[in-house]
Short mmCIF file of all heavy atoms in Angstrom, two decimals:
data_model
loop_
_atom_site.label_atom_id
_atom_site.label_comp_id
_atom_site.label_asym_id
_atom_site.label_seq_id
_atom_site.Cartn_x
_atom_site.Cartn_y
_atom_site.Cartn_z
N THR A 86 3.06 -5.00 10.73
CA THR A 86 3.82 -3.74 10.82
C THR A 86 4.85 -3.57 9.72
O THR A 86 5.48 -2.54 9.64
CB THR A 86 4.55 -3.73 12.17
OG1 THR A 86 5.44 -4.86 12.31
CG2 THR A 86 3.54 -3.85 13.32
N THR A 87 5.02 -4.62 8.86
CA THR A 87 5.97 -4.48 7.73
C THR A 87 5.20 -4.34 6.42
O THR A 87 5.86 -4.42 5.36
CB THR A 87 6.87 -5.73 7.68
OG1 THR A 87 6.06 -6.87 7.35
CG2 THR A 87 7.58 -5.97 8.99
N GLN A 88 3.90 -4.02 6.46
CA GLN A 88 3.10 -3.94 5.25
C GLN A 88 2.97 -2.51 4.77
O GLN A 88 1.89 -2.15 4.29
CB GLN A 88 1.81 -4.73 5.43
CG GLN A 88 1.98 -6.20 5.59
CD GLN A 88 0.69 -6.90 5.78
OE1 GLN A 88 -0.30 -6.61 5.11
NE2 GLN A 88 0.68 -7.91 6.65
N GLY A 89 3.95 -1.68 4.94
CA GLY A 89 3.85 -0.39 4.44
C GLY A 89 4.16 -0.36 2.91
O GLY A 89 4.96 -1.12 2.37
N VAL A 90 3.36 0.44 2.16
CA VAL A 90 3.32 0.39 0.75
C VAL A 90 4.42 1.42 0.21
O VAL A 90 4.45 2.56 0.70
CB VAL A 90 1.96 0.73 0.14
CG1 VAL A 90 1.95 0.71 -1.40
CG2 VAL A 90 0.95 -0.26 0.69
N SER A 91 5.17 1.01 -0.82
CA SER A 91 6.08 1.91 -1.50
C SER A 91 5.79 1.89 -2.97
O SER A 91 5.47 0.89 -3.55
CB SER A 91 7.53 1.41 -1.25
OG SER A 91 8.42 2.24 -1.95
N LEU A 92 5.80 3.07 -3.56
CA LEU A 92 5.71 3.24 -5.01
C LEU A 92 7.02 3.85 -5.53
O LEU A 92 7.56 4.80 -5.02
CB LEU A 92 4.57 4.18 -5.38
CG LEU A 92 3.12 3.71 -5.06
CD1 LEU A 92 2.07 4.72 -5.43
CD2 LEU A 92 2.86 2.33 -5.70
N ARG A 93 7.53 3.16 -6.58
CA ARG A 93 8.77 3.57 -7.15
C ARG A 93 9.93 3.49 -6.22
O ARG A 93 10.98 4.15 -6.36
CB ARG A 93 8.70 5.02 -7.74
CG ARG A 93 7.79 5.15 -8.93
CD ARG A 93 7.71 6.62 -9.32
NE ARG A 93 7.04 6.86 -10.61
CZ ARG A 93 6.67 8.01 -11.05
NH1 ARG A 93 6.87 9.11 -10.26
NH2 ARG A 93 6.07 8.13 -12.25
N ASN A 94 9.81 2.62 -5.18
CA ASN A 94 10.89 2.46 -4.15
C ASN A 94 11.30 3.78 -3.56
O ASN A 94 12.49 4.01 -3.30
CB ASN A 94 12.13 1.80 -4.82
CG ASN A 94 11.92 0.36 -5.05
OD1 ASN A 94 11.25 -0.35 -4.27
ND2 ASN A 94 12.51 -0.19 -6.15
N LEU A 95 10.34 4.60 -3.20
CA LEU A 95 10.59 5.87 -2.59
C LEU A 95 10.76 5.60 -1.04
O LEU A 95 9.87 5.79 -0.28
CB LEU A 95 9.45 6.84 -2.80
CG LEU A 95 9.66 8.21 -2.25
CD1 LEU A 95 10.77 8.94 -3.00
CD2 LEU A 95 8.36 9.07 -2.38
N GLY A 96 11.98 5.09 -0.69
CA GLY A 96 12.23 4.92 0.75
C GLY A 96 11.35 4.00 1.37
O GLY A 96 10.60 4.36 2.33
N PRO A 97 11.36 2.70 1.05
CA PRO A 97 10.37 1.74 1.75
C PRO A 97 10.64 1.71 3.19
O PRO A 97 11.78 1.69 3.67
CB PRO A 97 10.76 0.42 1.05
CG PRO A 97 11.42 0.72 -0.26
CD PRO A 97 12.14 2.02 0.03
N ASN A 98 9.57 1.65 3.96
CA ASN A 98 9.68 1.44 5.44
C ASN A 98 8.33 0.77 5.90
O ASN A 98 7.38 0.65 5.13
CB ASN A 98 10.02 2.70 6.17
CG ASN A 98 8.90 3.75 6.06
OD1 ASN A 98 7.84 3.58 5.51
ND2 ASN A 98 9.21 4.92 6.57
N GLY A 99 8.26 0.46 7.13
CA GLY A 99 7.02 -0.16 7.69
C GLY A 99 5.83 0.70 7.62
O GLY A 99 4.73 0.22 7.54
N ALA A 100 6.05 2.06 7.82
CA ALA A 100 4.93 2.95 7.78
C ALA A 100 4.37 3.14 6.36
O ALA A 100 3.19 3.45 6.18
CB ALA A 100 5.27 4.25 8.35
N GLY A 101 5.25 3.00 5.39
CA GLY A 101 4.85 3.38 4.00
C GLY A 101 4.73 4.82 3.77
O GLY A 101 4.60 5.64 4.67
N ARG A 102 4.90 5.21 2.53
CA ARG A 102 4.76 6.64 2.16
C ARG A 102 3.67 6.85 1.12
O ARG A 102 3.68 7.72 0.33
CB ARG A 102 6.09 7.18 1.66
CG ARG A 102 7.15 7.24 2.77
CD ARG A 102 8.46 7.78 2.28
NE ARG A 102 9.36 8.11 3.36
CZ ARG A 102 10.26 7.30 3.90
NH1 ARG A 102 10.43 6.07 3.30
NH2 ARG A 102 11.04 7.62 4.89
N THR A 103 2.73 5.91 1.09
CA THR A 103 1.59 5.87 0.11
C THR A 103 0.32 5.76 0.80
O THR A 103 0.10 4.95 1.72
CB THR A 103 1.79 4.63 -0.84
OG1 THR A 103 3.12 4.74 -1.49
CG2 THR A 103 0.70 4.59 -1.91
N LEU A 104 -0.63 6.61 0.40
CA LEU A 104 -2.02 6.57 0.92
C LEU A 104 -2.79 5.50 0.16
O LEU A 104 -2.82 5.49 -1.08
CB LEU A 104 -2.67 7.92 0.75
CG LEU A 104 -4.14 8.04 1.16
CD1 LEU A 104 -4.27 7.79 2.65
CD2 LEU A 104 -4.67 9.48 0.77
N VAL A 105 -3.45 4.65 0.91
CA VAL A 105 -4.32 3.59 0.28
C VAL A 105 -5.77 3.89 0.75
O VAL A 105 -6.02 4.03 1.93
CB VAL A 105 -3.87 2.14 0.70
CG1 VAL A 105 -4.75 1.14 0.07
CG2 VAL A 105 -2.42 1.96 0.36
N LEU A 106 -6.62 3.90 -0.21
CA LEU A 106 -8.05 4.21 0.05
C LEU A 106 -8.96 3.13 -0.48
O LEU A 106 -8.69 2.44 -1.44
CB LEU A 106 -8.44 5.56 -0.67
CG LEU A 106 -7.59 6.80 -0.34
CD1 LEU A 106 -7.69 7.77 -1.48
CD2 LEU A 106 -8.07 7.43 0.95
N VAL A 107 -10.16 3.00 0.14
CA VAL A 107 -11.26 2.24 -0.33
C VAL A 107 -12.45 3.21 -0.48
O VAL A 107 -12.93 3.65 0.56
CB VAL A 107 -11.62 1.04 0.51
CG1 VAL A 107 -12.87 0.29 -0.05
CG2 VAL A 107 -10.42 0.03 0.63
N ASP A 108 -12.84 3.55 -1.68
CA ASP A 108 -13.89 4.49 -1.91
C ASP A 108 -13.72 5.76 -1.09
O ASP A 108 -14.62 6.32 -0.51
CB ASP A 108 -15.27 3.90 -1.60
CG ASP A 108 -15.66 2.75 -2.49
OD1 ASP A 108 -15.23 2.78 -3.68
OD2 ASP A 108 -16.36 1.83 -2.08
N GLY A 109 -12.50 6.29 -1.08
CA GLY A 109 -12.20 7.58 -0.42
C GLY A 109 -11.88 7.48 1.05
O GLY A 109 -11.56 8.47 1.68
#
Side-chain angles (χ1 to χ4, degrees):
T86 62
T87 66
Q88 294 179 41
V90 180
S91 177
L92 294 179
R93 291 177 170 167
N94 284 327
L95 185 67
N98 64 6
R102 293 181 168 94
T103 301
L104 175 64
V105 181
L106 304 157
V107 177
D108 293 331

